[in-house]
Amino acid sequence: MTITPLMPVYPRCDVRPVKGEGCYLIGERGERYLDFASGIAVNLLGHSHPDYIKAVQDQVATLMHVSNLYGSPQGEKLAQTLVDNTFADTVFFTNSGAEAVECAIKTARRFHFADGNPQRNTIITFSNAFHGRTIGTISATDQDKLRKGFEPLLPGFVVVPFNDLDAARAAVNDGTAGFLVEPVQGEGGIRPATQEFLAGLRQICDEKGLMLVLDEVQCGVARTGTLYAHEHYGITPDIMATAKGIGGGFPLGACLATERAAKGMVIGTHGSTYGGNPLAMAAGSAVMEAVLADGFMAHVTAMGDRLRQSLEQLIPNHDHLFDSVRGIGLMQGLKLKSDSRRFVAHLRDNHGLLTVAAGENVVRILPPLIIEEAHIAEFIEKLSEGARTYVPPADE
């Protein structure tokens, strides 16, 4: 037998964490890594946050799982918190971002079915997007690396260029159900939507009775300095998928919707065995309590501004390697002039700095939202030293 016990679908590196402390991961041999990846925007309270740990431990000792056939005081509490602090009137809890996006797609289509227009079932999506790895969510993308070998894919999706409002408007027809879009593309290279684009999609939906569905799996839950990124644009969606940071490390996602958008989601139309279990709800409630506390999001904004300024000041010192910075809050992207994946590996293996590669040769910088200025200074020092010691391959 040559296959590994863990199915070899990830190019796993030699970092083998066994412990986490705040903004640091610690490996098997005691080596420390400054974690500016946060499990890809998941560990927003860092590692081993005491309030989060206590909430999860207390719930483990009390009740971990019951069927959704029963009432859920824990789920009702977290759902009410989300309803009170977002555009939404109702919430369905999932175990992941992909499940949340699947629920969002179903909700959008079911709205039109319930509204007497079942032919309106096509979702317009956007180039370079990432919505998950289920058959449904890869069908919603145009990325061959996600789709190749998994055909036939699902019909019902049309992909047009991101940030191209004219293309989006031209794609709308009598079969369109709505738009599915990330306000800030994550895997695609930390690409924020323009104000004109996102506001324009909202206007088209209002004019034509379509659903605006936002994928805030990566950019949501205070990552950009507001609870959800669309708040920067002054618009609200009809439906939104959230995950990653909302669980703080525990598998949790949610589909949020207005009462109107959820009109078709009645008994028997959707479900989840584990979604919304008491343990997940305890984790999510602990996260929401932290991020909604006075000053938390102001801190994210301040640290995001400081991080961006530091990156912009660093670029001229290594302009052979770095091109530009983009992003919002503590969701920043450093665009390189060469392969970002090789550079991310160099930072990790030689300088103890964890970041994440993304499309368009971008290094994603996604630190825990609890970082302080000292962490940013340490990050910039390691990044600068990494740039100084990095030798691109000859073919670059």
Side-chain angles (χ1 to χ4, degrees):
M1 182 181 296
T2 58
I3 195 168
T4 55
L6 286 174
M7 190 176 287
V9 295
Y10 283 101
R12 295 181 184 272
C13 65
D14 291 333
V15 176
R16 297 169 63 85
V18 295
K19 186 177 180 181
E21 294 177 352
C23 297
Y24 298 88
L25 284 175
I26 301 167
E28 287 179 314
R29 301 179 300 277
E31 65 276 23
R32 293 174 67 87
Y33 301 91
L34 179 61
D35 185 5
F36 268 49
S38 301
I40 313 184
V42 169
N43 302 106
L44 84 176
L45 299 180
H47 304 283
S48 303
H49 189 282
D51 295 338
Y52 179 87
I53 289 174
K54 185 178 187 305
V56 171
Q57 287 178 334
D58 288 350
Q59 191 61 54
V60 167
T62 305
L63 181 66
M64 290 177 62
H65 173 79
V66 293
S67 169
N68 282 318
L69 295 173
Y70 309 128
S72 176
Q74 305 88 355
E76 291 163 8
K77 175 186 174 183
L78 181 54
Q80 189 64 56
T81 299
L82 289 166
V83 166
D84 289 344
N85 289 279
T86 69
F87 72 95
D89 300 309
T90 191
V91 182
F92 180 86
F93 290 112
T94 70
N95 308 290
S96 68
E99 290 177 63
V101 174
E102 289 274 356
C103 181
I105 292 168
K106 291 177 68 175
T107 302
R109 287 178 172 171
R110 186 78 183 187
F111 164 79
H112 291 292
F113 177 86
D115 211 36
N117 296 294
Q119 78 283 358
R120 299 180 76 168
N121 53 37
T122 297
I123 307 289
I124 298 172
T125 65
F126 298 92
S127 59
N128 222 29
F130 182 90
H131 298 299
R133 291 185 180 272
T134 64
I135 290 294
T137 52
I138 65 173
S139 299
T141 74
D142 64 347
Q143 294 196 57
D144 189 57
K145 66 181 181 181
L146 300 175
R147 298 159 57 104
K148 188 175 181 179
F150 297 111
E151 298 86 354
L153 300 177
L154 299 181
F157 298 96
V158 173
V159 182
V160 301
F162 183 66
N163 271 335
D164 188 333
L165 185 59
D166 290 339
R169 183 180 288 108
V172 174
N173 58 36
D174 291 341
T176 302
F179 300 105
L180 169 61
V181 61
E182 300 161 273
V184 184
Q185 288 192 334
E187 302 286 334
I190 311 297
R191 301 172 68 204
T194 65
Q195 177 66 38
E196 177 190 22
F197 178 66
L198 209 57
L201 294 183
R202 178 69 272 174
Q203 183 178 1
I204 293 170
C205 288
D206 291 340
E207 291 171 354
K208 298 183 178 296
L210 307 180
M211 294 285 102
L212 179 60
V213 183
L214 298 186
D215 178 344
E216 292 226 27
V217 168
Q218 189 165 150
C219 62
V221 195
R223 173 59 55 184
T224 65
T226 54
L227 186 57
Y228 285 99
H230 66 263
E231 297 172 40
H232 290 286
Y233 296 85
I235 62 101
T236 57
D238 301 291
I239 306 165
M240 182 181 73
T242 182
K244 286 188 179 290
I246 197 173
F250 192 89
L252 174 60
C255 175
L256 284 66
T258 64
E259 183 174 9
R260 174 175 176 268
K263 68 184 291 184
M265 301 304 283
V266 296
I267 291 173
T269 56
H270 198 51
S272 171
T273 296
Y274 295 105
N277 69 74
L279 185 53
M281 299 298 91
S285 291
V287 168
M288 291 300 294
E289 185 175 349
V291 302
L292 292 173
D294 289 345
F296 188 93
M297 281 183 271
H299 175 78
V300 173
T301 298
M303 292 300 99
D305 290 345
R306 182 59 179 267
L307 176 61
R308 187 184 186 98
Q309 291 166 6
S310 298
L311 288 167
E312 289 175 341
Q313 290 169 3
L314 182 66
I315 286 176
N317 299 331
H318 305 283
D319 58 4
H320 67 290
L321 180 61
F322 300 146
D323 178 82
S324 56
V325 184
R326 59 201 193 192
I328 308 174
L330 289 176
M331 187 178 186
Q332 294 292 325
L334 178 60
K335 183 171 176 58
L336 269 60
K337 297 178 179 178
S338 58
D339 184 6
S340 64
R341 296 186 186 278
R342 291 181 64 95
F343 185 64
V344 163
H346 171 72
L347 293 175
R348 177 192 70 218
D349 297 340
N350 298 289
H351 299 279
L353 178 58
L354 304 181
T355 55
V356 191
E360 298 192 346
N361 287 327
V362 166
V363 175
R364 269 180 288 178
I365 303 166
L366 304 166
L369 305 187
I370 60 168
I371 60 168
E372 302 291 346
E373 290 192 13
H375 297 115
I376 294 175
E378 182 182 354
F379 168 77
I380 292 296
E381 182 180 354
K382 288 179 179 292
L383 179 63
S384 180
E385 182 64 13
R388 189 185 67 79
T389 58
Y390 181 63
V391 180
D395 59 357
E396 291 188 5

